[in-house]
Amino acid sequence: DAKTTQPNSMESNEEEPVHLPCNHSTISGTDYIHWYRQLPSQGPEYVIHGLTSNVNNRMASLAIAEDRKSSTLILHRATLRDAAVYYCILRGTYNNNDMRFGAGTRLTVKP
Amino acid sequence: GAGVSQSPRYKVTKRGQDVALRCDPISGHVSLYWYRQALGQGPEFLTYFNYEAQQDKSGLPNDRFSAERPEGSISTLTIQRTEQRDSAMYRCASSLALLGTGFMNTEAFFGQGTRLTVV
């Protein structure tokens, strides 16, 4: 049973913002929302994570809905190097901190 | 080491042989995860550990697959009597768990993976 739901694919133009949505309607109060991405022929890499408040780092921003049932990863200016599969994952706490990947969203960036 | 190290990087084995894949996590990382990834697919969760305790092995496909982390550091994923369908990239990841006012997972770091080919 999928814990998160993401669109299969999205397209963006280079240097434009990209908003990648994720639905997680069954999220529990202690689940953190993590985002990872996987570039072609590489292993997954961490992008950002949060619990309740919006988060910013050098790579992206994470906007979390007030009810926490959805979140959006925001790439402020997409570059060709951002073309990857983006995964939204829920991670629990203590001994429920498994990390399961779904199908993710394949982002294509057009020059 | 500086990152998560997996060995071997490539393994070709004959059908029916046993293989052992090794993962050396970042020093001090509490959580260690194993995944299998077929070409064009996302990482498929296999199992994970906190310290030496195997927390969840529900992702292991069948009883030919097993994993251990006896001292809470290095982990080994063993596949017995390999079959061609076991051919895939096997990935390991590790992360810290911060215990303070609560529990917080930090980012997970992935190794380079072991490409297993069963012929």
Side-chain angles (χ1 to χ4, degrees), chain A residues 60-75:
Chain A
S61 295
L62 176 60
I64 301 172
E66 197 168 332
D67 63 6
R68 300 207 329 123
K69 293 185 176 182
S70 65
S71 61
T72 302
L73 179 70
I74 302 165
L75 306 179

Side-chain angles (χ1 to χ4, degrees), chain A residues 3 28 30-32 34 36 89-101, chain B residues 29-35 45 47-51 53-56 69 93-99 103-108 110:
Chain A
K3 295 166 86 173
S28 75
T30 53
D31 283 341
Y32 283 78
H34 283 241
Y36 285 76
I89 298 165
L90 301 182
R91 291 183 77 187
T93 58
Y94 294 103
N95 293 330
N96 289 308
N97 60 331
D98 61 316
M99 193 166 67
R100 284 174 156 85
F101 289 74
Chain B
H29 276 197
V30 168
S31 304
L32 185 148
Y33 303 84
W34 281 102
Y35 299 90
F45 172 84
T47 186
Y48 87 104
F49 297 81
N50 282 339
Y51 300 102
Q54 191 170 19
Q55 298 297 330
D56 185 344
R69 193 186 185 198
S94 72
S95 69
L96 271 175
L98 300 178
L99 298 173
F103 178 107
M104 189 178 78
N105 296 293
T106 61
E107 62 181 286
F110 282 77

